Amino acid sequence: MADDDTEAEAESTVETTAERETEAEATDDVTIDVEAIDAYEQRIEELSAAVEERDETIEELRSVVEEQSEQIDTLENQFLDLSARVADGRNLGVCPECNGPTEKKERLFRSDTIECTRCGEVIHTY
């Protein structure tokens, strides 16, 4: 019986040691998981901030594209108007601002210009 008691005590000691090791490993895993969760949440916040910055940049670019589209339309209209005047040969055209008549003003000491006779807008300088 003494052998049985010794064996039982050895087994219980082994089991107790194994349980302690399991508990220690579980505690370590919890610490690692908490740190991993913190790192994960921080990464989510960083990605959210990056997405917000990207959205702001996209909106800025859209507004720039809209402005440039308007400028392109204006320049196309002016180009077509200038082309029509040159094709006409009389250097007359239409002001893109007020749709008034334009004419070429030849100057002695300054550059020649195409100006609107109604609003005075200088449309082109040679």
Side-chain angles (χ1 to χ4, degrees):
M1 277 229 182
D3 288 333
D4 288 335
D5 289 337
T6 308
E7 286 180 21
E9 286 179 25
E11 286 178 14
S12 66
T13 306
V14 169
E15 288 176 5
T16 306
T17 306
E19 289 174 2
R20 288 182 191 161
E21 288 177 4
T22 304
E23 289 176 8
E25 288 176 7
T27 305
D28 290 343
D29 289 343
V30 170
T31 303
I32 292 172
D33 287 342
V34 170
E35 291 173 0
I37 290 172
D38 289 342
Y40 180 73
E41 288 176 351
Q42 183 178 5
R43 182 67 178 150
I44 289 173
E45 289 174 7
E46 291 172 2
L47 292 174
S48 297
V51 167
E52 288 177 12
E53 288 178 24
R54 189 192 81 200
D55 289 343
E56 290 174 6
T57 303
I58 288 171
E59 288 302 316
E60 290 174 8
L61 290 174
R62 282 187 181 148
S63 66
V64 168
V65 167
E66 288 175 8
E67 290 174 14
Q68 289 178 348
S69 294
E70 291 173 6
Q71 291 175 349
I72 288 170
D73 290 341
T74 302
L75 291 173
E76 281 179 349
N77 291 336
Q78 288 178 352
F79 176 74
L80 292 174
D81 189 46
L82 288 172
S83 297
R85 272 185 252 139
V86 170
D88 183 12
R90 294 180 293 154
N91 297 322
L92 299 174
V94 178
C95 177
E97 298 296 322
C98 70
N99 293 324
T102 60
E103 65 180 359
K104 183 177 181 181
K105 303 276 184 168
E106 295 181 4
R107 303 218 166 42
L108 228 51
F109 298 109
R110 296 186 308 181
S111 301
D112 294 343
T113 60
I114 296 177
E115 297 178 3
C116 177
T117 56
R118 186 181 298 165
C119 68
E121 177 78 20
V122 175
I123 298 165
H124 182 69
T125 304
Y126 295 99

